[in-house]
Amino acid sequence: MANARRSGFRRLGVDLTDRSTIMQVMTPSADTQTRILESARELIHARSYADVGVTAICEHAGVNKGSFYHFFPSKRDLTIAVLDTYYLEMKEQLLDRAFSSDIPPLQRLERLAVLIYEFQKEVADRAGHILGCPFGNLAVELSTQDEPIRRKVAEIFARLRADIRQTLEEAVETGAVQGIDVGATAEAMLAYFEGVMLMAKTRNDPDVLRQLLPALAQIRIAHPGD
Amino acid sequence: MANARRSGFRRLGVDLTDRSTIMQVMTPSADTQTRILESARELIHARSYADVGVTAICEHAGVNKGSFYHFFPSKRDLTIAVLDTYYLEMKEQLLDRAFSSDIPPLQRLERLAVLIYEFQKEVADRAGHILGCPFGNLAVELSTQDEPIRRKVAEIFARLRADIRQTLEEAVETGAVQGIDVGATAEAMLAYFEGVMLMAKTRNDPDVLRQLLPALAQIRIAHPGD
DNA sequence: TTGATAGTTGACCGGTCGGTCAAGTTATTG
DNA sequence: CAATAACTTGACCGACCGGTCAACTATCAA
């Protein structure tokens, strides 16, 4: 997104002369931009890329179509920006919480499983449907059609894999596991996670997550030299 | 598909009076119907449900739009029929081959992994892209939008799970594994399979399959009483 | 041969798609 | 204050969407 724009204030229905309520980050335009982003985030996750038109995104954001194309050159570019916001949220809400060093590495993976379950359950209660993983959803729908979006998801998957891998490396250091290919195991765990989300979405049943997600921490791929 | 139609012959550029070339199954209309089905199968797997229009399916099948709606009440119904043909092909080409009893149960799962790799690799070479699992693709794209299609995929997944489960039960009987929840383990294996396909599609790299699929046979979910 | 049925044809429908644009308003800068 | 840049507005574009339809042809049984 490269948020080069700054300066300016943002009204939130409060007295602008009260300096304490000033939020420096968002200009009025960034506000519109943000509303478009959040609208798209919500709608695309709940439905699909193809099913959500630019018009619908604008209506839901309370913005005119012209404004949309003032901030985003295309629906594709918007989607790539949306993917970044998805990752940011996942990082803050799930990864950082699960992977803090207060418990042993493998237990952190189990905690991640619990957090994901709770998160998906909550979203499902709101949306009336299990929505699955926003990355996996877009990857499946668009990988064969839109190369930049495919690459973006692949990039995010690589980051997630790196996070899991680091946790696995700690597990190896502490002796909790041995003889595993940490890279391949991290990838396998990510794949398993995506598959479980897919199954839960298809069955539209959060219990699938409760039943299957804990096994995430038990997946192992042996070191090539074995 | 409930092929209630019969009778009539089919010309293949051969003399109709030659009784030996008669194919009783396909009427001229069933031929059109089949062409539509195969066209849709190909295009939807290679692209996506939303990206492939009825017009494109008809053009690729060499059929007029009116004929399409003579045989299928809607694009959705066509897709549900397509899902059945996908399953049939998977059953014949992969499941039946992998699960024959000439080798121990767990080895059959490993053989399935190899067959899937080879199949996907071949499709990818033709299409220029890893296309992933046709069931997973449609489930992810449409589960929140189209309930009948979601149910159809869920039904097929249930069949696949039952096939895997049966193999696992044999493995339990022969003592190759013990203390596992066969139902949950079968579901987990299916989920892992779907996840691996998703990753391979996203990375557009068949090596992902070679690296991750073999671990399918090692997934275990412990029996609830443990 | 006749009447019915099955299948085919392609023009046509209203609606939506992603995207454009010229004109207008608002905010910022010097 | 004037000039300029940032942003907003909504009408508009051609293309395509899933689906309909009335007219036509081929096939079939009696």
Side-chain angles (χ1 to χ4, degrees):
Chain A
M1 259 298 75
N3 203 339
R5 294 180 197 80
R6 285 159 303 92
S7 78
F9 309 136
R10 179 207 193 194
R11 264 156 276 119
L12 286 166
V14 257
D15 183 5
L16 239 196
T17 60
D18 178 3
R19 272 6 192 70
S20 68
T21 65
I22 291 172
M23 302 179 66
Q24 295 193 341
V25 183
M26 292 188 179
T27 61
S29 79
D31 194 39
T32 297
Q33 199 177 24
T34 303
R35 279 214 308 281
I36 295 170
L37 268 169
E38 281 176 0
S39 170
R41 217 169 77 105
E42 221 174 292
L43 294 179
I44 292 176
H45 192 199
R47 317 235 286 267
S48 73
Y49 180 83
D51 199 58
V52 177
V54 173
T55 310
I57 292 169
C58 292
E59 271 170 13
H60 187 250
V63 154
N64 286 88
K65 206 186 252 197
S67 291
F68 179 103
Y69 285 98
H70 175 74
F71 291 107
F72 302 98
S74 69
K75 188 187 180 188
R76 166 203 282 168
D77 289 270
L78 187 249
T79 304
I80 288 173
V82 162
L83 280 165
D84 277 324
T85 77
Y86 282 142
Y87 178 74
L88 227 72
E89 188 192 9
M90 183 168 200
K91 181 87 182 156
E92 287 169 5
Q93 302 293 316
L94 298 176
L95 297 185
D96 289 351
R97 291 188 193 184
F99 287 165
S100 80
S101 311
D102 55 337
I103 52 173
L106 289 182
Q107 281 180 38
R108 293 173 214 161
L109 291 169
E110 282 162 20
R111 181 165 58 188
L112 180 63
V114 174
L115 285 171
I116 290 166
Y117 167 74
E118 286 169 356
F119 184 77
Q120 282 285 324
K121 180 86 168 63
E122 186 196 309
V123 173
D125 285 342
R126 248 188 295 121
H129 215 292
I130 300 255
L131 303 187
C133 171
F135 309 122
N137 291 353
L138 285 166
V140 166
E141 184 179 358
L142 299 172
S143 278
T144 59
Q145 305 309 301
D146 195 302
E147 185 65 11
I149 291 180
R150 201 216 97 229
R151 260 201 295 269
K152 185 76 199 180
V153 179
E155 174 203 316
I156 289 172
F157 279 164
R159 273 186 277 181
L160 294 175
R161 186 171 58 244
D163 289 332
I164 299 173
R165 185 196 171 119
Q166 210 194 324
T167 302
L168 286 175
E169 263 156 7
E170 282 189 54
V172 170
E173 280 166 25
T174 63
V177 283
Q178 41 188 311
I180 66 164
D181 180 336
V182 285
T185 302
E187 179 100 337
M189 286 180 171
L190 185 56
Y192 181 71
F193 163 73
E194 288 295 329
V196 171
M197 298 294 268
L198 186 153
M199 288 303 300
K201 182 175 184 177
T202 307
R203 300 245 310 256
N204 193 25
D205 179 4
D207 282 350
V208 173
L209 302 174
R210 240 197 344 210
Q211 190 182 30
L212 299 187
L213 273 183
L216 184 102
Q218 271 141 46
I219 289 177
R220 306 277 184 277
I221 292 194
H223 199 276
D226 291 11
Chain B
M1 259 297 79
N3 203 340
R5 294 178 197 81
R6 284 159 304 92
S7 78
F9 309 135
R10 180 204 192 195
R11 262 154 278 120
L12 285 166
V14 258
D15 183 5
L16 241 196
T17 60
D18 178 3
R19 278 355 197 73
S20 69
T21 65
I22 290 173
M23 303 179 64
Q24 294 193 340
V25 183
M26 292 189 178
T27 60
S29 76
D31 194 37
T32 297
Q33 199 177 25
T34 303
R35 280 214 309 283
I36 294 169
L37 267 168
E38 282 176 0
S39 170
R41 220 168 75 105
E42 221 174 291
L43 293 179
I44 291 176
H45 194 200
R47 318 234 285 267
S48 73
Y49 179 83
D51 199 59
V52 177
V54 173
T55 310
I57 292 170
C58 292
E59 271 170 14
H60 187 251
V63 154
N64 286 89
K65 207 186 253 196
S67 290
F68 179 102
Y69 285 98
H70 176 73
F71 291 106
F72 301 99
S74 69
K75 187 188 179 187
R76 167 203 281 168
D77 290 89
L78 187 249
T79 304
I80 288 174
V82 163
L83 280 165
D84 277 324
T85 76
Y86 281 142
Y87 177 74
L88 227 73
E89 188 192 8
M90 182 167 200
K91 181 86 182 158
E92 287 169 5
Q93 302 294 316
L94 299 176
L95 298 186
D96 289 350
R97 290 189 194 184
F99 287 165
S100 80
S101 311
D102 54 337
I103 52 172
L106 289 182
Q107 281 180 39
R108 294 173 213 161
L109 291 169
E110 282 162 21
R111 182 165 57 187
L112 179 63
V114 173
L115 285 171
I116 290 165
Y117 166 74
E118 285 168 356
F119 184 77
Q120 281 285 324
K121 180 86 167 63
E122 186 196 309
V123 173
D125 285 343
R126 250 188 292 122
H129 215 292
I130 300 255
L131 303 187
C133 171
F135 310 121
N137 291 353
L138 284 167
V140 165
E141 184 180 359
L142 298 172
S143 278
T144 60
Q145 305 309 301
D146 195 302
E147 185 64 12
I149 291 179
R150 200 215 98 229
R151 260 200 296 268
K152 185 76 200 179
V153 179
E155 173 203 318
I156 289 171
F157 278 165
R159 273 186 276 180
L160 293 175
R161 186 172 57 244
D163 288 333
I164 299 174
R165 185 196 171 119
Q166 208 194 324
T167 302
L168 287 175
E169 264 156 8
E170 282 189 53
V172 170
E173 280 166 24
T174 63
V177 284
Q178 41 189 310
I180 67 164
D181 180 335
V182 285
T185 301
E187 179 100 339
M189 285 180 172
L190 185 56
Y192 182 72
F193 162 73
E194 287 295 328
V196 170
M197 298 294 268
L198 186 153
M199 289 302 302
K201 182 175 184 177
T202 307
R203 301 245 310 256
N204 193 25
D205 179 3
D207 282 351
V208 173
L209 301 175
R210 241 196 346 210
Q211 190 181 30
L212 299 187
L213 273 184
L216 184 102
Q218 272 141 47
I219 288 176
R220 305 277 184 278
I221 292 193
H223 200 276
D226 292 11

